[in-house]
Amino acid sequence: MLTLHNVSVNIDDTPILNEFNLEVPQGEVHAIMGPNGSGKSTLSRVLMGDECYQVTQGAIMYQGEDLMALSPEARAHQGLFLGFQYPVAIPGVNNMTFLKTALNAKRKALGQSECDAMSFMQLAESAAQTIGMDLAFLKRDFNTDFSGGEKKRNEILQMLVLEPKLVILDEIDSGLDIDALQAVALGINALRDAGRSFILITHYPRLLELVQPDRVHVMMSGQIVMSGDYTLANTLEEKGYGWLASNTVES
Amino acid sequence: MASRSAPLTSELFSNIAYEAGFVTDIQSEQLPAGLNESIIQQISEKKAEPSWMLEWRLKAYRHWLTLKPPTWAHLKIDPIDLNEIVYFSRPKSMKDAPKSLDEVDPELLATYDKLGVPLHERARLAGVAVDAVFDSVSVATTFKETLSEAGVIFCSMSEAIECHPELVREYLGSVVPVGDNYFAALNSAVFSDGSFVYIPKDTICPMELSTYFRINAANTGQFERTLIIAEAGSRVSYLEGCTAPMRDENQLHAAVVELVALESASIKYSTVQNWYPGDEEGRGGIYNFVTKRGLCKGDRSKISWTQVETGSAITWKYPSVVLRGEDTVGEFYSVALTRQKQQADTGTKMIHIGRGSRSTIISKGISAGQGQNTYRGCVKVAPTAAGARNFTQCDSLLIGPHCGAHTFPRMDVMHPNAQIEHEASTTRIDEEKLRYCRARGLDEAQAVSMIVNGFCKPIFQVLPMEFAVEARQLMEVSLEGCVG
Ligand SMILES: Nc1ncnc2c1ncn2[C@@H]1O[C@H](COP(=O)(O)OP(=O)(O)O)[C@@H](O)[C@H]1O
Ligand SMILES: [Mg+2]
């Protein structure tokens, strides 16, 4: 599904990712953990196509194609979805309108017919029900005056409606109460299938217990320094990243 | 490899198709260019006006001679040679005023069809009566019979002068006096046509009224005059739209609109202004120098101005309300977009005289390209206006590094217990919002238009429904070409 090979990334000529390698096969859920500032968000922004980040070397292949050749919107049309660490608010724009515009932009790009108001409504409502989101949120302005947790839930709602192929969730579980965390996990598990891959960026094992990823990677200073199964998350929680610094062997 | 994201630049806002930019090939009958008493006499003669009207015009003209164009606005205006302007131009076919739509030149009807304002019986806009003004004359008014059954008078100003002189004499110039300002005085001297509305006592106007202004002939000014009188207990909603062909020369549009609301009457006046804005280099476009004022004469009356201004090379207008009655309400809702080299200096005046009078001002300015957008507002509370209240909010949105937004709110409060609130903000269109939208599959143009539409929502939602759709589309078209 996704392969990064020796990818280096700069921001304003400061290197952030250094010869980064990652392979996420189709149908797998991978988690990325790592201390603040290790480059996790940078990775997700590069995958999304944020032009603030300069990719100085390496290759990123998505479904066998050069991802860097695609504009951010084309990546979305091709099934890439980034759940933002800090989702924006758009005052005056109805949540449903935003989501419907996004869905139809994708359908149009793929040569499919636009989704009409009725079937969209059903789609959005059933997605909201999956994650226990109050339908009133659908009618509100997009993320406007939403709490942090409500914004994250809204990211999951969009993910469910857009049915992407590769989902990257950047700290989707930060600042969530237990109910919201459950809801997010429900959303992820509802969408999980053999054709779809996930990258979950997180600091906490709790989400990983609910989702049970196939692999867990630990990132430090712009590189993956250790990989393992989901029990690695617990080990890290116990021993901290300091343990890793003295133990940077790939398992 | 992609380099650091360039901020939205001015070339993003390149020249955008102006769909209303076509010229109707039609023979017109014109007075020679120039401005003097003889021209004014000829205008009056062409229109077969009574002598009091001519005298009124001449008085305005003589006063105008003593005035100078205003220089206080934040505008760069190339001097206009008023002697090169044609002050009267009408389609030849209109010379012997057609008695019904069947007699109106098909070429003219086709023009309005093309503009999306069909006048003929079959295709008329449902629920909207239209007065169509072409250059200097009104060519047709639809739904006259339906309206007259309700006692509503909706006709051209020329017809009103002929058929309802007592109303015209009582109210014309009663809100905007002939010598009010340079452009209003000029309009009073040379105005050619416009719309007249009279809503009788306790009558709710059965449909939306609308005037569609079209400038067609070259070197022609359009100086229309609109007068709306709402008798006690009546209610009316009125909308104006405007377009002009693309021409390299600037054309002057200096209108005057007067509204009078008597006791408990309510007038809602909405404008979707899409005059030709000129090209990328700032060549051509309409100078839109307009005086609009409403008088809340009776207690508990209400006047509401809503404007969506996307066109014109230069806009100079301040739709205002004089809140003379007690517990009167004045509102001003505005969206003004300037792009390319457009300039707008617009806002409102709320003059509180009556006790308990209240006003609301919400202004949304959007600047893109090299556009310059100024909000200029004035809230005056007279010593008589105990309990007066005003709320003002003006927000500016900047798109790209070469445009400008300016705010000049003024307050003159002469009553100690008046409550005045003012909020203002200026923001650049947020790059992170654009990135977010793009990550969801919207292209940059869709993203900008979505964010701008959201920004304008408080205004769009007070427009009559059909026109809200039109305004949204107009905004979208105007924002096209913002893709890097
Ligand atoms: N826009 C930016 N400008 C400058 N430095 C940045 C920017 N974004 C991230 N960085 C720096 O890059 C490093 C990696 O950041 P980030 O990818 O956000 O880490 P993480 O998500 O793992 O906490 C940090 O040192 C951070 O300060
Ligand atoms: Mg981060």
Side-chain angles (χ1 to χ4, degrees), chain A residues 40-41 85 170-171:
Chain A
K40 305 181 297 297
S41 291
Q85 186 171 354
D170 191 358
E171 295 202 25

Side-chain angles (χ1 to χ4, degrees), chain B residues 254-289:
Chain B
V256 172
V257 176
E258 295 175 279
L259 313 180
V260 182
L262 298 169
E263 194 182 326
S264 299
S266 153
I267 303 175
K268 181 180 170 74
Y269 192 106
S270 316
T271 303
V272 175
Q273 187 264 109
N274 184 27
W275 293 117
Y276 177 53
D279 68 9
E280 275 164 273
E281 264 78 61
R283 260 190 314 255
I286 301 291
Y287 286 173
N288 188 33
F289 299 162

Side-chain angles (χ1 to χ4, degrees), chain A residues 11-12 16 34-43 52-53 85 170-171 203, chain B residues 4:
Chain A
I11 302 174
D12 292 339
I16 310 287
N36 293 329
S38 56
K40 305 181 297 297
S41 291
T42 301
L43 170 67
C52 293
Y53 299 81
Q85 186 171 354
D170 191 358
E171 295 202 25
H203 287 299
Chain B
R4 182 170 185 119

